[in-house]
Every structure is written in structure tokens, then in C-alpha cells.
Amino acid sequence: MVERIVAKCPGSHAQIVLGEKAELMNPKIANLAKPGVAARGDVVVIADSDIRVGRDYLRGAVTGLYSGNPRDNLVSRLGALGINDGLAPSVLAALGHTFADDHKLVELSRYVVTTTIPETNLRALLSHELRWARNDLELAGVGHFFSFLSYGLPPALIYLAVSRNLTVGVPLLAVIIVLRVAQHYLARRALNVTRSDDVWLIPLRDFLSLAVWATSLFGRRRSFR
């Protein structure tokens, strides 16, 4: 497909280049930083293969937030919910000698792109999210360790079930539910998400997020597709 696009634009300087810069530990950036290839223009645009954009994307974009665009599949929808409610509001991007090139940012664009969620089984989704979590652990350290505090719903449900203290547990759970649902809809509004609303998946999504966080603390292995 890329070859056909290049053939249709004979006056351009388009190139298809294979190979990678082996000394960089980030596979994606190693793929971009090929030896002997330099950008010729004043604007450099880097986009992942799972990103969709509109015709006005290049109007000053430096790096941008993204919303999840799921397949018609429960696992994929859980992945999109995790991005929309958790990752996207705090995502930052950069290049360099780091596994998480999406972690640092020079300037944030108001343009929001969408990312497809290709995972259709839970194992693939958790592997992907574990990579993100371990990137965050490496870069944020203490901040990542205490990020479990942002998942208030699972502990509140567990506390209510174990303690059976209705006087404290029920009001606490009610407050957390209100705040969590508010976060969900504020994120949808900020990211201009118009797809079907999966608010009913929030409890499962938050339990999965807490499990990913806990797993990220043990081991450093990360899988790239």
C-alpha cells in the first residue's frame, strides 16, 4: 500500500526504508532512527501504525492525546475504557533512549487522535497494559507505586464485602462511585468520545487496572508486538 502511495506522488521525496538502529532499546524508535536517513522538511511527524487521524491533523500538531477506538469485542472495549478514563488524561510523548517514548512531551496539541484497540483476548490486552505500567514504574518510580490510590472502587468494594460495616462502607462506596463516574464522563467529553458508552464496565476495568499495577511491581519484562 505504501509503495502505491509513493508511486502516485512521483514529485515527492518519499522513501521506504527498512532496518533499525540496534543500540536503541526502544524498538519503535530504533525502527524510526535508521542509519543514513534524515528528515528533509521543517516538520517531522511520527505516527504509530494503530493511529487514525483526520485531514486537519497536521495543523500544528506536536504530540496529541488519543482516545481508544475499540472493536466490537468485550476485551477491546475494556482496553479503550482504560485509555479513555486512565491513560489519555495524563499521556505525554517524547523520543529518546527510553522504553516509553510516549512519556515525555515538548508541547501538547489540542488535536485528539484515535488509537485502535486490536486485542481481542484478555492475555494480549494485559500484556500490552503491563508494558505501559512497567514503563511508568521505571520513569515515575514512587508516583507509580502510589498510583493504586487512584483505583478507589475495588478497595471500597472489597472493604464493604469483608468488613460488612454498612455505616462506613456504603457511604464510602457511594462517594467513590459518584467520583469515578464523573471522571469517566469528563474524560469522554474532553476527548470528544462519541462511541457507545461502556460505563457498566467500570468495575471490571478498575479491577483489571489494579491487577496490572500489582503485577508491574514484580519483574521488568516487557513485550512489544
Side-chain angles (χ1 to χ4, degrees):
M1 182 176 66
V2 177
E3 290 175 344
R4 290 199 302 270
I5 294 173
V6 173
K8 289 181 179 179
C9 306
S12 73
H13 297 291
Q15 292 177 279
I16 301 174
V17 186
L18 304 177
E20 63 180 29
K21 197 168 184 177
E23 62 267 27
L24 296 180
M25 66 179 179
N26 185 318
K28 182 171 66 177
I29 303 306
N31 184 40
L32 292 170
K34 299 183 188 343
V37 177
R40 301 183 181 181
D42 296 325
V43 178
V44 178
V45 179
I46 299 172
D48 288 356
S49 59
D50 57 357
I51 293 296
R52 297 181 181 180
V53 302
R55 292 180 179 272
D56 57 343
Y57 171 58
L58 294 183
R59 292 181 180 175
V62 177
T63 190
L65 295 175
Y66 53 93
S67 63
N69 182 25
R71 297 182 177 181
D72 189 17
N73 172 276
L74 179 62
V75 171
S76 184
R77 288 158 64 186
L78 281 170
L81 187 61
I83 287 176
N84 295 340
D85 287 10
L87 175 64
S90 60
V91 70
L92 300 175
L95 300 177
H97 290 261
T98 171
F99 274 117
D101 53 283
D102 288 342
H103 188 268
K104 296 180 182 179
L105 171 68
V106 249
E107 183 177 343
L108 184 65
S109 167
R110 292 181 178 271
Y111 191 97
V112 177
V113 302
T114 59
T115 180
T116 57
I117 313 297
E119 291 85 8
T120 57
N121 65 79
L122 197 56
R123 181 177 180 180
L125 178 65
L126 293 179
S127 175
H128 196 168
E129 293 187 355
L130 183 59
R131 187 186 85 211
W132 290 340
R134 284 179 172 160
N135 289 344
D136 193 48
L137 176 61
E138 180 177 301
L139 295 164
V142 175
H144 175 79
F145 183 81
F146 285 102
S147 66
F148 73 92
L149 295 173
S150 64
Y151 307 119
L153 188 55
L157 287 170
I158 294 172
Y159 172 78
L160 182 59
V162 173
S163 71
R164 299 183 181 180
N165 186 342
L166 301 183
T167 304
V168 175
V170 171
L172 176 64
L173 180 61
V175 170
I176 288 176
I177 288 175
V178 169
L179 292 174
R180 180 65 179 87
V181 172
Q183 176 198 7
H184 170 75
Y185 283 109
L186 286 171
R188 282 178 63 90
R189 180 179 177 183
L191 298 173
N192 194 28
V193 177
T194 58
R195 292 175 294 279
S196 60
D197 190 3
D198 288 328
V199 65
W200 62 277
L201 288 174
I202 285 178
L204 178 57
R205 175 63 264 182
D206 285 5
F207 270 99
L208 286 175
S209 296
L210 190 59
V212 169
W213 168 83
T215 306
S216 72
L217 302 179
F218 303 95
R220 299 184 61 188
R221 182 175 179 176
R222 283 161 279 198
S223 299
F224 287 80
R225 65 180 175 90

